[in-house]
Amino acid sequence: MKPFSNMELASFCGQIALILKSGISSMEGLTIMLEEASSSEEKEILQGLLTRMQETGMLYDAMEEAGIYPSYMLRMVQIGEETGTLDEVMESLQNHYEREDTIRKSIRSSVTYPLIMTGMMAVVIVVLLVKVMPIFNQVFIQLGTEMTGFSRMLMNMGTAISRYSVVFIVLLILIAGFFLYGTRTSSGRNMLRGVGYRMKAFRTIYEELAACRFASGMALTLSSGLNPERSMELVDSLNDDSIFQKKIDRCKAQMEEGEDLSHALFSSGMFTGVYARMVSIGSKTGAMDQVMEQIADLYQEDIDTRMNNALAVLEPTLVILLSLIVGVILLSVMLPLMGIMSSI
């Protein structure tokens, strides 16, 4: 069975939270959800959870045996049941996975449009070189001359693309495979992240994404009544950024040496500037969980703003670039052709 999406996890957690806050037990809630389930797959999952809960009485055991829920969610459910705050934990998990879904959609929308535009540019250019340029060459031959200079080079490029089309198709398949590897596998994402960290614009976004997930996880764990050390252990499993992981490790080491959470977060470089001051205030006022939630929201807004601004610049840039390339190709042929026609 395929893993749940972030929105599916958020929906499940939201339903459980609503049921528990209404004074209904987890088992009764699963029964209600089973009666209202619309798909056979959903019914199968809920029936399995309900059967296991009837044996153990623990939602955590039922979810763990199902084997389809993320480990972080399982740990938080276990903590919620142990501390009697499962309704609050489930509500926090709902917010957490909704934020994760928002981050994923922001990244997808920022990448999809440039890829589509780049693909369209490549198709238009290939059609011009392979199909249109030979037609113009025939016109030149009928007029008793041949293409020269830049236009001749473009036509030769089109001829090479047509002649070695199999090679180019294989190359495109390899590029597509590399893209899927870089987006669908953890090692591929780490590789792309390593490349992205070498570029300032991408490095800032990667750092903010990691910090946003960290702050969201800390808000969830701290609001569940966990101490900072235990919260750090749980949130550590959420991180998939090897570079940000070094900051987490430094922060944990400093906390083990006796430093408080706010100072460790600042000195390890995880939060700086206004975020560091917010953490310091949260530590002094005992509202660290609320501050972490605010920081996660601020990071999310900043990420969305950066990506929207990048798209706002990238969209017209790609359109202008495509227009210039097509214009240069056509002018390289039309200007000599107009010169020949005027001399006849």
Side-chain angles (χ1 to χ4, degrees):
M1 189 175 294
K2 67 177 182 179
F4 289 125
S5 66
N6 287 320
M7 281 309 298
E8 288 173 333
L9 291 173
S11 176
F12 176 80
C13 293
Q15 291 180 63
I16 295 293
L18 180 61
I19 286 168
L20 294 175
K21 286 182 178 294
S22 301
I24 302 172
S25 67
S26 301
M27 190 177 301
E28 292 175 348
L30 287 175
T31 303
I32 295 172
M33 291 169 64
L34 179 60
E35 292 173 353
E36 297 180 353
S38 56
S39 66
S40 58
E41 183 179 9
E42 185 180 1
K43 289 180 180 178
E44 181 183 351
I45 294 171
L46 292 173
Q47 183 61 60
L49 292 176
L50 184 58
T51 301
R52 181 60 178 168
M53 273 205 73
Q54 290 171 346
E55 297 174 359
T56 64
M58 300 292 290
L59 180 60
Y60 165 75
D61 292 333
M63 293 174 63
E64 184 180 37
E65 186 168 306
I68 53 177
Y69 296 96
S71 58
Y72 179 75
M73 183 177 179
L74 292 175
R75 292 179 186 178
M76 293 309 302
V77 169
Q78 183 182 28
I79 292 168
E81 288 189 311
E82 290 176 356
T83 58
T85 58
L86 185 58
D87 55 342
E88 298 177 6
V89 167
M90 280 300 189
E91 187 174 20
S92 298
L93 281 171
Q94 178 189 11
N95 296 332
H96 171 75
Y97 284 112
E98 285 176 349
R99 180 178 286 113
E100 285 290 299
D101 186 70
T102 301
I103 291 173
R104 187 175 296 275
K105 286 180 178 177
S106 297
I107 296 173
R108 186 179 299 157
S109 63
S110 299
V111 171
T112 301
Y113 180 81
L115 286 177
I116 292 174
M117 284 298 298
T118 303
M120 290 176 59
M121 288 173 60
V123 170
V124 170
I125 293 169
V126 168
V127 169
L128 284 173
L129 294 179
V130 174
K131 298 296 183 181
V132 178
M133 294 300 286
I135 295 174
F136 278 109
N137 188 50
Q138 291 298 321
V139 174
F140 274 88
I141 293 174
Q142 290 174 4
L143 293 173
T145 184
E146 290 185 352
M147 286 184 176
T148 58
F150 185 63
S151 59
R152 182 72 182 182
M153 182 189 71
L154 291 175
M155 193 189 71
N156 290 336
M157 287 175 58
T159 302
I161 292 173
S162 180
R163 182 177 301 169
Y164 301 105
S165 57
V166 175
V167 176
F168 285 104
I169 291 173
V170 171
L171 184 61
L172 287 174
I173 292 174
L174 290 175
I175 293 173
F178 176 78
F179 176 77
L180 290 174
Y181 168 75
T183 55
R184 301 290 183 179
T185 64
S186 57
S187 58
R189 286 192 290 269
N190 287 334
M191 181 188 65
L192 289 179
R193 190 179 292 113
V195 174
Y197 263 104
R198 294 186 175 89
M199 294 177 280
K200 184 178 180 180
F202 289 106
R203 182 170 65 248
T204 301
I205 291 177
Y206 278 130
E207 289 174 346
E208 290 189 345
L209 282 171
C212 180
R213 288 194 173 105
F214 173 82
S216 177
M218 287 296 290
L220 172 56
T221 51
L222 289 172
S223 65
S224 300
L226 301 179
N227 60 38
E229 291 77 12
R230 179 59 175 155
S231 296
M232 286 290 293
E233 290 178 8
L234 288 174
V235 175
D236 192 358
S237 63
L238 275 179
N239 179 61
D240 60 356
D241 189 322
S242 58
I243 297 177
F244 193 78
Q245 183 63 43
K246 296 177 182 177
K247 296 181 180 180
I248 294 179
D249 293 338
R250 286 200 298 269
C251 182
K252 290 168 67 176
Q254 291 171 9
M255 290 175 66
E256 290 173 358
E257 293 173 0
E259 292 189 12
D260 63 15
L261 176 61
S262 61
H263 187 269
L265 289 172
F266 172 72
S267 57
S268 63
M270 297 182 71
F271 294 134
T272 57
V274 64
Y275 298 117
R277 290 195 292 273
M278 290 176 66
V279 168
S280 178
I281 293 171
S283 177
K284 294 176 181 177
T285 59
M288 185 67 83
D289 56 337
Q290 298 175 20
V291 168
M292 284 292 180
E293 184 70 25
Q294 293 174 1
I295 290 175
D297 290 338
L298 290 172
Y299 269 122
Q300 181 62 58
E301 291 176 5
D302 193 42
I303 291 167
D304 290 340
T305 301
R306 286 181 183 275
M307 291 185 173
N308 290 333
N309 290 341
L311 279 178
V313 174
L314 192 58
E315 289 177 10
T317 300
L318 288 174
V319 172
I320 293 170
L321 184 61
L322 176 59
S323 303
L324 287 175
I325 293 174
V326 172
V328 168
I329 293 174
L330 293 178
L331 285 175
S332 70
V333 177
M334 295 301 296
L335 291 178
L337 185 60
M338 291 173 63
I340 296 171
M341 295 296 291
S342 63
S343 64
I344 294 176

